[in-house]
Amino acid sequence: MDKQFDKIPEHLKPKNVGTDNLFKSGFIEKLTRTHIAVPVTMHLIIVALFIFYFSPSFTILTYLGLFFGGWVTWTLAEYWVHRWLYHVKTENKTLLKIQHMGHGIHHQYPKDPTRLAMPPVPALALISIFFGIFWLIMTDYAFAFFPGFLLGYVLYISLHYMQHLFKPPKFGPLNRLWKWHALHHYKYPETKAFGVSTNLWDVVFGTQPRDK
């Protein structure tokens, strides 16, 4: 068992009730919140469109390989952004603001259900950028790679929502996901358990908690 735990900085200390605003404008503030069903449904529709309408003529094995590669790439991106963008220690005011708006407020109010997934407007902008990057790198192969990447995101926001609002399931791997994420919030916010949809990269990069 780990004998030391992070001294949780003030801006990451969790409050298990309440919420807070990011903007003074009520209209803009509404754009920072969403019910989980909205982004899940929106992204699943986009995944379905790519699978059934925008798929180039690849062999089944090629398509599945690219789709699976997209999902694995998402899990690494999830870990990388969480660890090296949202939790990297910095004195840069711009980065600190990005950290607070993108993730810090979630650490302060982890039970706020309206901030457990990215709202539709910024989400659509980001996924458009990602698809554009993938297409520039791999052209038509992006039409099979991107829906796997996006489905990985859907699994991430769905699991993240459940980890904060539902009790841990008894099934071993899922139980571990729930408990590691709780440890990230309440014990090691800056050093351990950065994976949400998978524990793989925490194990690979040595950031898994040792608590039994």
Side-chain angles (χ1 to χ4, degrees):
M1 178 180 291
D2 289 324
K3 295 181 179 180
Q4 298 295 324
F5 57 88
D6 293 353
K7 182 179 180 181
I8 301 178
E10 198 64 36
H11 68 283
L12 295 178
K13 283 186 177 179
K15 306 173 182 69
N16 281 326
V17 293
T19 186
D20 198 5
N21 292 337
L22 286 171
F23 297 98
K24 293 181 179 179
S25 166
F27 174 74
I28 297 177
E29 179 63 23
K30 286 181 180 179
L31 296 180
T32 70
R33 300 175 182 273
T34 185
H35 188 283
I36 189 65
V38 176
V40 168
T41 302
M42 180 184 77
H43 289 100
L44 284 178
I45 290 172
I46 295 171
V47 169
L49 286 172
F50 269 83
I51 292 174
F52 296 109
Y53 291 100
F54 301 145
S55 296
S57 299
F58 298 137
T59 65
I60 294 295
L61 286 178
T62 299
Y63 189 91
L64 290 177
L66 288 165
F67 191 93
F68 180 75
W71 170 72
V72 173
T73 301
W74 162 258
T75 64
L76 181 57
E78 168 197 315
Y79 177 91
W80 189 91
V81 169
H82 194 183
R83 181 179 181 182
W84 296 112
L85 177 61
Y86 287 152
H87 284 295
V88 66
K89 293 183 179 181
T90 179
E91 298 298 326
N92 184 285
K93 291 182 178 180
T94 300
L95 183 52
L96 285 171
K97 187 173 182 179
I98 291 172
Q99 288 178 334
H100 176 69
M101 295 181 68
H103 195 62
I105 196 166
H106 164 59
H107 268 265
Q108 291 176 338
Y109 301 96
K111 300 293 185 182
D112 180 356
T114 67
R115 285 219 168 94
L116 292 175
M118 185 174 290
V121 172
L124 283 172
L126 275 176
I127 64 174
S128 298
I129 292 171
F130 273 111
F131 176 73
I133 293 171
F134 295 152
W135 190 84
L136 287 173
I137 294 172
M138 58 184 71
T139 62
D140 283 354
Y141 291 108
F143 286 93
F145 183 90
F146 178 72
F149 184 88
L150 193 55
L151 184 62
Y153 175 72
V154 174
L155 292 173
Y156 157 75
I157 60 175
S158 301
L159 284 166
H160 189 222
Y161 182 86
M162 291 186 286
Q163 285 164 4
H164 281 280
L165 298 180
F166 300 131
K167 292 181 179 180
K170 293 182 179 179
F171 180 59
L174 288 178
N175 183 273
R176 190 178 304 112
L177 276 177
W178 256 247
K179 290 183 176 179
W180 283 22
H181 194 61
L183 286 169
H184 171 73
H185 271 273
Y186 296 101
K187 196 171 182 180
Y188 306 111
E190 294 187 302
T191 58
K192 298 183 187 297
F194 297 104
V196 175
S197 64
T198 176
N199 300 134
L200 171 65
W201 301 111
D202 281 302
V203 174
V204 170
F205 295 115
T207 53
Q208 73 272 36
R210 301 288 184 183
D211 302 66
K212 299 290 185 181

